[in-house]
Amino acid sequence: MTVMTRSLPRFGGFSLGMIKLELRRLARNKRTVIFTLIFPAAFFLLFGTSADYKTEQVGGGNLTGYVLVSMAVYGAMLATTSGGAMVSIERAAGWSRQLRLTPLRPYAYIATKIVLAMIIGAVSVAVAFAVGAVSGAQLPVSAWILCGLLAWVCALVFAAFGLFMGYLLPSENVMQILGPALAVLSFAGGLFVPVDQLGSTFATIAKFTPVYGVGELARYPLTHDGNLWLAALNVIVWTALFAAGAMWRFRRDTARV
Amino acid sequence: MSGMTLTASPELTTAPAAVELDGVIKRFGAVTAVDGISLTIRPGEVVALLGPNGAGKTTTVDMLLGLQRPTEGTVRVYGRAPHEAVELGLVSAVMQTGALLKDYTVEETVRLTAVLFGRSRADAEAALERAGLTEVGKRLVGKCSGGQQQRLRFAMALLPDPELLILDEPTTGMDVAGRHEFWSAIREDTSRGRTVIFATHYLEEADAYADRVVFVRRGRVVADGTASEVKALASGRTVRATLPGAVEAELLAVAGVDKAEVRGETIFLHGRDSDEIARYLLTRTAARDLEITSRNLEDAFLALTADEVSK
């Protein structure tokens, strides 16, 4: 190939081929698989499938179904966060520097990570729902679909969170920090225990934490309960904040070298 | 030491130079890593960049790859800004600490590189083959030896079929067999006319593989010539003797001495004709305990890269 006939790849290097290879690598990572696919399903089986949960009605389904949606949200969160946080591991390993020696544009790299985060998020929700369906969770058909979609789409906020943290914390073990942090946020946001059981002060604070909105939105098709607009606002504001944080760190990272 | 600078005569060609550094300075805060390097490398040259640690080799390489921007001066690679040349695959590199992801297999790593450069799967397989990695293709990168990982970096660097290949301390940490295998692969590859720049502190590598050697010291080029020219610089011998009360300036005036050093009562005189120097010392001075040693490449390297303070 001569000097003159060379050309740049399309879309800044964003490609299906890269996504496929990255997915293969992710599937090989036992920690990711356990965290994002097995944990949420196991939590659901532990906390959501007692006999009285199965008989207690919530909306058009049962309490087991309610817990299932919450756990699906939790799984999607873990999945998208770890997807975004991949940049941290790759920066720590110096891989980002290696990628600078290719035509891959930084924005195409970020886009690839977001797509990957959303793919594993979707798989996580699907696995949790499959386990739920055979373990006594009952939801109206519309809620199976809408709750699943919302749990997945709203987890985008955590893809942004993962990216932000991935650029903020250059560590190989970033998920060891973020895993517990997400568990705390899930408690604070009423994902494990409904916020009104935590006392009124806590319930008020909970509404401002990032998990609250996602949980409320995802369960809405089942419960038709709570303030939809407030929940949506929560998701939008946190997504914007985390995305801005990620952009800020990302720009610094790109400018440095 | 300025007399040791040899400059390869530039040829007039219409094609752009492979590399054109013009008055390049790179500062990091108060530290000047590169202090005014001007260098032209023509297509097809195999150039060794030699120098001690901290001489500015890696910073120079980083600027050629667009990983660092010069504080002053310009860097062009095949007539383009370095980052453009990188994106187009005109230049690629095997870096000293080039990162690899441990949970990719060897084959996947090369295929990913192929995908990023818009190359086919067949190109990826060819690169694996050329780097001698076909047999370990399914192995996880984390399970590969240091030599295999370095050949993997080489395979990745070959993928865009670059006009210019940069190797930054490519064999550091390899055992003798690994170094041999690595250089065999490179040698076979460069026979196809690729331009190669390699930074190294293994003199024998520079001697064996470079047709031009550029010595860098404290961010400047202190010598630049063909390997044989640089070897000529290394010829000559050092005469050591005990001579109380010697004065450096007087010793320098002795016929045939091009370098003199006084350390206490011991003197070190360097020159092409060591016999002449020895004869003078024994007949005209009170010098005793004479010892004559040849300079080798190692000494040339030390002489060219040592701090002026020790002179």
Side-chain angles (χ1 to χ4, degrees), chain A residues 175-224:
Chain A
M175 276 313 284
Q176 283 170 10
I177 302 164
L178 296 183
L182 286 178
V184 170
L185 285 175
S186 299
F187 268 111
L191 205 56
F192 294 155
V193 184
V195 286
D196 41 16
Q197 288 180 21
L198 299 168
S200 64
T201 315
F202 217 95
T204 310
I205 296 171
K207 293 189 167 114
F208 294 97
T209 62
V211 176
Y212 176 82
V214 182
E216 286 287 294
L217 273 180
R219 287 184 304 244
Y220 190 84
L222 172 66
T223 60
H224 297 287

Side-chain angles (χ1 to χ4, degrees), chain A residues 1 6-9 15 18 21-22 24-25 28 93-95 97-105 257, chain B residues 62 67 86-90 95 99 101 103-105 108 111-112 115-117 119 140 156 160-161 163:
Chain A
M1 187 175 272
R6 288 170 187 267
S7 60
L8 289 174
S15 70
M18 180 175 185
L21 285 162
E22 290 275 273
R24 261 213 224 186
R25 180 162 73 93
R28 197 173 283 142
W95 182 248
R97 190 177 149 93
Q98 184 68 44
L99 289 177
R100 275 167 204 277
L101 300 181
T102 73
L104 183 69
R105 298 281 168 120
V257 184
Chain B
D62 279 358
L67 294 172
V86 164
E87 283 176 349
L88 291 169
L90 284 166
M95 302 296 279
L101 289 178
D103 43 4
Y104 264 131
T105 66
E108 284 166 355
R111 272 179 50 203
L112 176 64
V115 162
L116 292 175
F117 279 103
R119 296 306 181 102
L140 283 180
M156 291 161 77
D161 192 17
E163 303 291 326

Side-chain angles (χ1 to χ4, degrees), chain B residues 239-243 267 269 274-292:
Chain B
V239 181
R240 191 193 68 88
T242 305
L243 181 61
I267 61 169
L269 301 180
S274 55
D275 292 345
E276 191 60 43
I277 296 169
R279 189 174 292 116
Y280 174 88
L281 286 176
L282 290 170
T283 56
R284 311 278 296 270
T285 72
R288 57 196 159 83
D289 291 339
L290 257 70
E291 198 177 85
I292 301 176

